[in-house]
Amino acid sequence: MGDKEAVTLRIGVLALQGGFFEHEASLMKALKYHQFEKLIEMEVVEVRDPENVADLDGLILPGGESTTMGLFLRSNGLDVRIREWIHSPERKAIAWGTCAGLILMSNSLEGQKGGGQDKLGGIDVTTSRNFFGRQLNSFEAPLNLKSLPVDQAGCHGVFIRAPAVMTINSPDVAVLATVDLPTSDKPVIVAVSQNNMMATAFHPELTEDPGWHAYFLQKVLNAKSSS
């Protein structure tokens, strides 16, 4: 494996609001801690305009205020460009939304503000925008992981005004993680994937564990290697 030439990956991070700096730092941690630096040459691109999306291999949509983010995406055509990029048959690319990113990537929403919610769609789930309550209700909790191919021992989620997946509406959607709550009689779905898209209700970039970013990078690497 050491004789293989490193694969160049261009990873975009939507840099409108939210923890995009923290995502960039977590990508660098994942590159080092999971020995991807032997396999990957990584370029991180801060995405603010439609032209920034060209030639990306992966894209992270960070947390933030989903209504504001959706309006901005629509105002400068980024929403159309990102949808085209995600669904392009010519380019195998991976998109990952965290917290507000899950809201933006969900096909159906509960608890929308008046006038609805601008979104990208693509993951066939119904998501509750403020399932876990307001900022004061933020918390951390252990995650129940579903067959993630990276070491996630002791992994926990940071939930800040977080959404949650209420229903899975397609057999193509896989559940990646759930969380147990004393107020719920069944585990709450907080991470999903469908085809080349994945989304988490929590903030992996706010923990010391870069495992979720390593999982994302592995998916991006696999997609590019197979194209």
Side-chain angles (χ1 to χ4, degrees), residues 9 11 23 30 43 54 56 58 60 62 67 99 101 104 109-110 123 128 140 146 175 190 193-194 203 210 212 226:
L9 298 182
I11 306 296
H23 273 293
E43 177 187 359
L56 292 181
I60 296 176
T67 302
C99 196
L104 292 173
L109 297 175
E110 293 181 357
I123 300 181
S128 175
E140 298 186 25
K146 307 294 182 181
V175 176
V190 292
S193 67
Q194 181 175 1
H203 292 267
W212 284 93
S226 64

Side-chain angles (χ1 to χ4, degrees), residues 148-215:
L148 289 181
V150 292
D151 181 10
Q152 294 274 329
C155 182
H156 68 284
V158 177
F159 296 85
I160 303 173
R161 292 185 62 194
V165 174
M166 297 291 93
T167 62
I168 303 294
N169 303 326
S170 168
D172 295 330
V173 177
V175 176
L176 300 181
T178 64
V179 67
D180 295 321
L181 296 178
T183 56
S184 176
D185 58 358
K186 62 180 180 180
V188 177
I189 300 170
V190 292
V192 292
S193 67
Q194 181 175 1
N195 301 324
N196 61 329
M197 298 164 286
M198 58 182 281
T200 56
F202 48 90
H203 292 267
E205 78 280 7
L206 298 182
T207 73
E208 294 300 316
D209 181 3
W212 284 93
H213 290 78
Y215 175 59

Side-chain angles (χ1 to χ4, degrees), residues 58-175:
L59 175 64
I60 296 176
L61 307 174
E65 210 294 309
S66 62
T67 302
T68 301
M69 291 173 69
L71 287 170
F72 185 90
L73 289 171
R74 178 163 57 91
S75 71
N76 71 350
L78 251 176
D79 57 343
V80 174
R81 183 67 188 93
I82 290 174
R83 285 192 203 98
E84 292 173 345
W85 174 84
I86 290 175
H87 300 295
S88 171
E90 300 173 358
R91 188 173 190 85
K92 293 183 178 179
I94 306 298
W96 174 22
T98 62
C99 196
L102 166 61
I103 296 170
L104 292 173
M105 295 176 73
S106 298
N107 282 351
S108 301
L109 297 175
E110 293 181 357
Q112 299 185 59
K113 292 185 177 180
Q117 164 85 55
D118 288 293
K119 60 184 188 298
L120 299 168
I123 300 181
D124 200 6
V125 297
T126 299
T127 294
S128 175
R129 288 181 74 256
N130 293 307
F131 180 83
F132 294 104
R134 298 179 178 273
Q135 191 89 7
L136 291 175
N137 304 116
S138 301
F139 68 99
E140 298 186 25
L143 298 174
N144 307 313
L145 301 170
K146 307 294 182 181
S147 303
L148 289 181
V150 292
D151 181 10
Q152 294 274 329
C155 182
H156 68 284
V158 177
F159 296 85
I160 303 173
R161 292 185 62 194
V165 174
M166 297 291 93
T167 62
I168 303 294
N169 303 326
S170 168
D172 295 330
V173 177
V175 176

Side-chain angles (χ1 to χ4, degrees), residues 23-38:
H23 273 293
E24 292 169 14
S26 293
L27 285 168
M28 299 308 298
K29 281 184 184 179
L31 194 67
K32 178 179 178 180
Y33 294 166
H34 292 265
Q35 299 184 334
F36 283 126
E37 55 193 357
K38 298 178 181 179

Side-chain angles (χ1 to χ4, degrees), residues 28-55:
M28 299 308 298
K29 281 184 184 179
L31 194 67
K32 178 179 178 180
Y33 294 166
H34 292 265
Q35 299 184 334
F36 283 126
E37 55 193 357
K38 298 178 181 179
L39 305 174
I40 296 172
E41 293 284 346
M42 184 173 66
E43 177 187 359
V44 178
V45 179
E46 292 186 354
V47 175
R48 296 185 177 90
D49 299 293
E51 55 265 29
N52 300 144
V53 181
D55 300 324

